Amino acid sequence: MAAGIDRRRFLRFAGAGVAGTSVAGCMGGSQSSSSKKLQGGPLKIGVLAPEPGNNPIGASIANSAKLAAKQLNDDGGVLGANVEVSVKDTKEDPATGKRKYQELTVGEQVDLTTGVFTSEVQMNLMSSIAQQQTLHMSTGAATPEATRKVAQNYDRFKYYFRVGPVNSHYLGQNMVDFAKANFESMGWKSVAILAEDYKWTEPISKALTGSLSQAGIDVPINKRYAGGTQNFSPIYDQVANAGVDAAYVVMAHTGTSAVVQWHKQKRPFEFGGIHVPMQLPSYYKAVNGACRYAVTQNSATPTSKITKKTVPYANAYQKANGKYPVYTGYITFDAVKMYAEAVKQAKSKEAGKVIPKLENMSYTGTTTSSLEYYGKDHEYPHDVKYGKKYAWPVWLQWRETGGSGSQEVIWPENLASTKYQAPPWIN
């Protein structure tokens, strides 16, 4: 069945018994005469976020979608149509995520879904995205398996795009690129790779294996540890005994225990890599400064002027919500704004007409001045492009300024606000 009015009519009947909660609209702007320019009423955005009421990652997704919608509505909407946002809690559970996706697409008949943090939830949605033929712009999950499905069957899975972050393969490549550019000046001649055993870290481990050694960096330990690990002392004893300069980490779910114990025990090695909790601007206070001198990759910081949109977005988010966003916020904001631009260009919200606009667009977002997607013949079609001209993550070090913590960018050089500094307990 082709996408469009016929499918909508069908779903309207099929979804009658599945209809979920009412749409939480972000009102503003005018729907008078200009709303007739876009067929089919308001532009409906369905948001999938983990615990948006208290999880900073989920809150950043939900609040950024609402902020983007408000700005669009304040500017007259999209081709005169109001933008409405409906948020559903995935609870980081694949079955719940799928149920909420059905409520948004079948029940509320949204025009776009966005968000999703964990790869496990995202992969459980792929068949539903293909079935519903509703555009999905992913803004958190990093597994490359999603875009591999687009490569394997473009016609079936072309409704999926990843706005960011770069997929796990490129996250690992970026760790290699950072190492080549900075390890010598940081004094990191040898490192222990520590990756939590979740699906999102598998391609990163694969990208790192062998690549650092080929770059002349000694890697005596390359360890994937259990996802539920809370006691890092045995692992840190191995790292210390190996005599390496640093732990090069890949952590999200286990990151807080790891960095707090590293700092509390004053371990004789430095600490950095991809550490998702440290990307949160309020993290310093949350761990009583335990992240000081630790390093993490990130998509952006509130003060890094990656594009002309980065700082204004971060400040607008802070003004609306009383705190700064984490990376999923920047990406979700870009997703909604980029989708709106594609709808304007297509003069339609039908997926079949919007997809070619997204495929051929180069968009200035908050994390890159050239947000573009790989083409259908690439290994990862519809994945955000990685590279210096495209999505190019920043690396920050937590430092103490005036008794509180600050995220200081150390790379790339054009955005750096300071140089890397080793912890004072390291000789």
Side-chain angles (χ1 to χ4, degrees):
M1 184 179 294
I5 295 175
D6 290 343
R7 185 178 70 88
R8 294 291 185 191
R9 287 174 176 168
F10 170 78
L11 291 177
R12 191 170 297 122
F13 289 99
V18 193
T21 56
S22 61
V23 175
C26 289
M27 304 304 290
S30 170
Q31 283 196 80
S32 57
S33 60
S34 58
S35 65
K36 297 178 182 178
K37 295 177 182 176
L38 187 65
Q39 296 295 317
L43 200 61
K44 296 181 179 180
I45 311 294
V47 178
L48 294 160
E51 301 179 353
N54 54 34
N55 181 331
I57 291 173
S60 294
I61 292 173
N63 293 334
S64 294
K66 293 175 182 176
L67 176 62
K70 182 179 185 306
Q71 290 184 0
L72 289 166
N73 289 334
D74 287 347
D75 198 33
V78 178
L79 296 179
N82 230 40
V83 182
E84 298 182 352
V85 173
S86 179
V87 178
K88 301 292 184 184
D89 183 0
T90 65
K91 300 186 185 302
E92 293 193 35
D93 175 66
T96 302
K98 190 166 190 172
R99 187 169 65 253
K100 297 302 178 183
Y101 176 83
Q102 295 293 338
E103 289 180 7
L104 288 170
T105 55
V106 179
E108 300 183 16
Q109 299 188 36
V110 299
D111 302 295
L112 169 76
T113 55
T114 188
V116 181
F117 172 52
T118 59
S119 296
E120 288 79 3
V121 173
Q122 182 61 65
M123 290 309 297
N124 203 42
L125 297 182
M126 293 305 291
S127 61
S128 295
I129 292 170
Q131 182 179 12
Q132 292 304 321
Q133 300 179 356
T134 299
L135 268 171
H136 177 79
M137 299 180 75
S138 179
T139 60
T143 176
E145 294 305 313
T147 45
R148 283 206 180 100
K149 283 188 171 292
V150 184
Q152 292 164 1
N153 191 336
Y154 173 83
D155 288 336
R156 177 169 164 74
F157 292 104
K158 63 185 178 183
Y159 305 93
Y160 174 87
F161 286 78
R162 186 191 339 260
V163 188
V166 295
N167 75 37
S168 294
H169 167 74
Y170 291 118
L171 288 176
Q173 180 59 51
N174 186 250
M175 290 183 73
V176 176
D177 291 336
F178 176 79
K180 289 179 178 177
N182 297 281
F183 273 14
E184 184 175 352
S185 63
M186 294 167 69
W188 291 12
K189 297 179 182 177
S190 61
V191 298
I193 298 172
L194 303 179
E196 62 182 18
D197 192 11
Y198 283 93
K199 195 173 186 65
W200 76 279
T201 68
E202 293 173 358
I204 300 176
S205 289
K206 186 177 180 181
L208 290 174
T209 300
S211 298
L212 294 179
S213 298
Q214 291 173 10
I217 300 160
D218 186 27
V219 186
I221 296 177
N222 189 344
K223 185 179 183 64
R224 293 181 63 80
Y225 62 88
T229 299
Q230 293 297 315
N231 180 12
F232 282 83
S233 291
I235 296 173
Y236 285 168
D237 287 344
Q238 295 177 34
V239 175
N241 290 335
V244 299
D245 297 308
Y248 207 32
V249 307
V250 188
M251 302 174 169
H253 306 271
T254 60
T256 293
S257 296
V259 75
V260 168
Q261 291 168 34
W262 166 76
H263 182 270
K264 185 176 181 180
Q265 298 170 10
K266 297 291 185 290
R267 288 289 182 168
F269 50 83
E270 295 160 61
F271 188 101
I274 297 177
H275 188 285
V276 175
M278 281 204 297
Q279 297 171 345
L280 185 66
S282 61
Y283 193 64
Y284 193 89
K285 184 178 181 180
V287 295
N288 295 319
C291 56
R292 188 180 179 189
Y293 300 110
V295 170
T296 186
Q297 180 200 80
N298 203 353
S299 295
T301 71
T303 57
S304 53
K305 298 178 181 177
I306 300 173
T307 76
K308 61 183 180 182
K309 296 180 178 179
T310 313
V311 173
Y313 153 74
N315 289 339
Y317 185 98
Q318 197 278 337
K319 183 178 180 180
N321 301 286
K323 58 186 69 173
Y324 288 107
V326 71
Y327 78 97
T328 50
Y330 295 86
I331 297 168
T332 303
F333 182 82
D334 289 347
V336 174
K337 287 293 189 76
M338 187 178 195
Y339 172 70
E341 178 59 31
V343 169
K344 289 179 183 177
Q345 292 184 12
K347 296 181 174 59
S348 170
K349 55 185 182 180
E350 289 183 27
K353 295 180 179 179
V354 176
I355 288 172
K357 301 302 181 184
L358 290 172
E359 289 177 332
N360 294 296
M361 190 183 298
S362 183
Y363 182 79
T364 297
T366 60
T367 63
T368 173
S369 58
S370 300
L371 202 172
E372 299 180 17
Y373 301 104
Y374 291 116
K376 63 176 68 175
D377 295 328
H378 192 272
E379 182 179 5
Y380 306 116
H382 288 191
D383 226 325
V384 59
K385 290 183 178 178
Y386 168 75
K388 291 182 180 179
K389 295 181 179 179
Y390 304 107
W392 189 241
V394 300
W395 286 71
L396 64 90
Q397 182 176 34
W398 273 104
R399 302 281 278 274
E400 184 174 301
T401 304
S404 61
S406 62
Q407 294 179 319
E408 300 295 333
V409 175
I410 58 173
W411 194 72
E413 291 181 355
N414 66 311
L415 297 173
S417 58
T418 190
K419 293 184 178 179
Y420 174 77
Q421 188 176 110
W425 64 85
I426 301 292
N427 294 321

